[in-house]
Structure formats: C-alpha cells, structure tokens
Amino acid sequence: MSKKTTFVTQPFLPPLEEFLPYLEQIWQNKILTNGGPFHQQLEQELCKYLGVEHIALFTNGTIALVTALQSLRVTGEVITTPYSFVATSHSLLWNGIKPVFVDVDPDTLNIDPQKIEAAITPHTTAILAVHCYGHPCDVDAIEKIADTYNLKVIYDAAHAFGVQCHCGSVLNHGDLSVLSLHATKVFNTFEGGAIVCPDLKTKLRIDQLKNFGHAGETNVVAPGINGKMSEFNAALGLLQLKHIDGAILKRKEIDIAYRQGLAGIKGIKCLTDSGEKVANYAYFPILINEEYPITRDELYEQMKANGVHPRRYFYPLISEFPMYRGLPSSNRDNLPVATRAAEQVLCLPIYPDLPMEIVYEICQFIRAQ
Ligand SMILES: Cc1ncc(COP(=O)(O)O)c(C=O)c1O
C-alpha cells in the first residue's frame, strides 16, 4: 500500500488564515471564557444547524455526560450499553451510579430495546444509550419503555452530530443528548462537548452546573464543576460550522467507495445505517467473520504493517475493564452479541481529506488476503 501512514481518522481543520480574524477579535476584547460572545453565538448557530431548541457548550463530552446525569438527578442503577467508548460508563461511576449492561442489536450494535425490560429493577432510574457510529438507536422503543417505567433517557450522541432520524434531529429524543466535539469527531472544536436539551429551565440548570453551581455573583446552588468551553474553542466551532457540509459530503463519498470496493468479499460485512434520513458517516466499521481467510486481529496487524492503522472500536467491551468486570451484568453470557461484535469489528480510515486512492488500496488489500 501507499508509503504514507494512514490513521483511522485525521482531524478536520479549516484554513488557518480564516481563523486569524477570530483570534484578533479575542485579543481585542480580552474575553477568553465564561460564556463570552463566541460561546453565545456558537450555541445559537448550533441550535439552528442541528434543528434543536437549546444547547449548552462544554469543555468536552465526558464532563457534559457527567453533568447531564447530575442535571436530571439520576441515581441508583442506569441501564447502558457495553459497546461504546469507556467515557459512557465512566460518567455513571463519577456520579456514584451502578451501570447495568444490556446486550446490543446485531444489526445496529446499539442497545437492544427488547432486552432492556428484563434488566430493570426497583433501583433503575434511567437509560443511557449510545447512537453508536452515529446510527440512531431505536428511539421509539426506548421512549416507550422509559414512559412505562418512569425512567429518564440520556443519549450519548458523541458520534451523532448532524444525524437525522425519521422525525428530524436525532438529538431531540430522550431527556437530554450529549455531543462530543473532540478532535476525532465529525465536527470538532479541538476539545469540546455539548448538551442538547428541550427546555430553557433545564438549560439554565446545566449552565449553573458547568459553572461551579453559581447562580449569580454571590450564590452557589449546587456542587457544580468547571465545564465551560473557552472562547478559542467556540470561535473555532463557528468557523468549522462553515465547512461542515462539505466535510460530511466528502465522508459520504468515501463511505460509498468502501461499500463498492468491499462488496462481495466473503466474511466481510459492512455495517448499514439504522434507518437515518441524514447520516454523518462518522465511522466505517466492518465485521470480519469466520468465512474470511484470516482473523480480525491478523488483518488488523497486516494492515498496520502496511502503513494503515484501522481501530478496533469497540474492543474490549467496557464491561471487560477492571472497574466494571465484577458487575453481574458484565458476564459475557449476558452480552453475547456485543462480545461477538467486539471480536469482529474493525473501523477503517474515514475522514474528509482521505485520498480516494488509499480507499481503493485498502479495499484491494482486504480482498487480496
Ligand atoms: C461514545 C462516546 N462517548 C463519550 C466520548 C467522550 O467525549 P470526549 O472525548 O469529548 O470527552 C466519546 C469520545 O471521545 C465517545 O466516542
């Protein structure tokens, strides 16, 4: 394959000269953080772009998840997926909440709503689901269960920037949705995160919680944290927003090329969408089964030896890590679908500047094994 090393992703950056006027403005007005003008403007523009009512920007997605749980006063046990990045479950531990893992759907690799009810106990207060790879969860089924059992629903939408399901933005489902705006994400502010919420009252509570619990100059109403996004990151976000549609379009072209290039290879399955109306092409996961001549790990090593670094997202499962594996729900017998997916998955490189020749080479390489 090509001599240059190719990683699973490469952060999208706008032209540097376009960012300089924003920096000049920050230097001029000397407002660096604490809900400054760029912060306010980015919240408004993201609401418009995403089609949501309210957004609270954060320093990163993990602090946003921790704060989302606090803002809804979630306690006890929370039903969640083991097939995600570890920050999903860590946000529960940071709140003293017990995660209860439920298996995933074999097609979408999102939490399987049919298995949720059996995991509910008198201590269950919420469901923390993940739109894995940006593919929407079965939001209607989850809402029905939550309504029946009076549970809160929080979506870890770290991968789901800009995704629309059957009824508009997927971020409008659940009590809250949490975005990550990390460097590796479809839309990045270097580091960043956000909570999407439906009503102003919740947004104001979240704004207090991300600012030490301050409610005015001399009043502190909660043991809040410092989760504020800086003006630098917010300004960058405003500029990134101007380029986002083009960036997603390039991802789409790569997604199409992979699907064509990998079609018909025995033992390779490309994950399909989960019915979204607008996708963001955040990842390109394939599943490698026994019909393929070599194992997933052998393919992974061979690709790396040839300069391409795919990633095994999400292997190991969260439930395998030391702080989780003692939980009864972490037992592999409880999670057969997620366990198998974690052993089969490989996320191939996808990012706007990825040259098409490399996509073709990767497909040929996988076909030639
Ligand atoms: C599913 C998921 N949840 C949460 C996070 C945490 O976001 P951040 O890195 O912005 O803290 C990430 C990614 O980093 C993620 O992929």
Side-chain angles (χ1 to χ4, degrees), residues 59-63 65 84-85 87-88 130 156 158-159 179-182 184-185 191-193 283 314:
T59 183
N60 61 57
T62 306
I63 296 284
L65 276 171
S84 180
F85 182 62
T88 309
V130 179
D156 179 339
H159 303 168
L179 289 164
S180 165
L181 311 182
H182 180 256
T184 54
K185 301 295 187 282
E191 287 274 4
Y283 297 85
F314 288 97

Side-chain angles (χ1 to χ4, degrees), residues 58-61 180-183 188-193 229 233-234 236:
F58 274 78
T59 183
N60 61 57
S180 165
L181 311 182
H182 180 256
N188 87 77
T189 56
F190 287 13
E191 287 274 4
M229 176 180 275
N233 302 95
L236 185 69

Side-chain angles (χ1 to χ4, degrees), residues 20 28 71 77 167:
L20 297 180
Q28 240 167 41
S71 71
E77 292 178 7
C167 56

Side-chain angles (χ1 to χ4, degrees), residues 72-138:
L72 298 177
R73 299 177 174 88
V74 175
T75 56
E77 292 178 7
V78 169
I79 289 173
T80 189
T81 168
Y83 193 83
S84 180
F85 182 62
V86 73
T88 309
S89 296
H90 277 1
S91 70
L92 298 172
L93 293 197
W94 272 85
N95 279 296
I97 294 166
K98 180 178 170 186
V100 176
F101 295 113
V102 161
D103 208 2
V104 297
D105 176 279
D107 292 323
T108 64
L109 304 184
N110 288 328
I111 196 165
D112 186 344
Q114 291 189 26
K115 304 211 173 115
I116 290 178
E117 273 185 283
I120 295 173
T121 76
H123 305 292
T124 311
T125 60
I127 300 167
L128 174 57
V130 179
H131 301 302
C132 194
Y133 308 127
H135 300 312
C137 291
D138 187 343

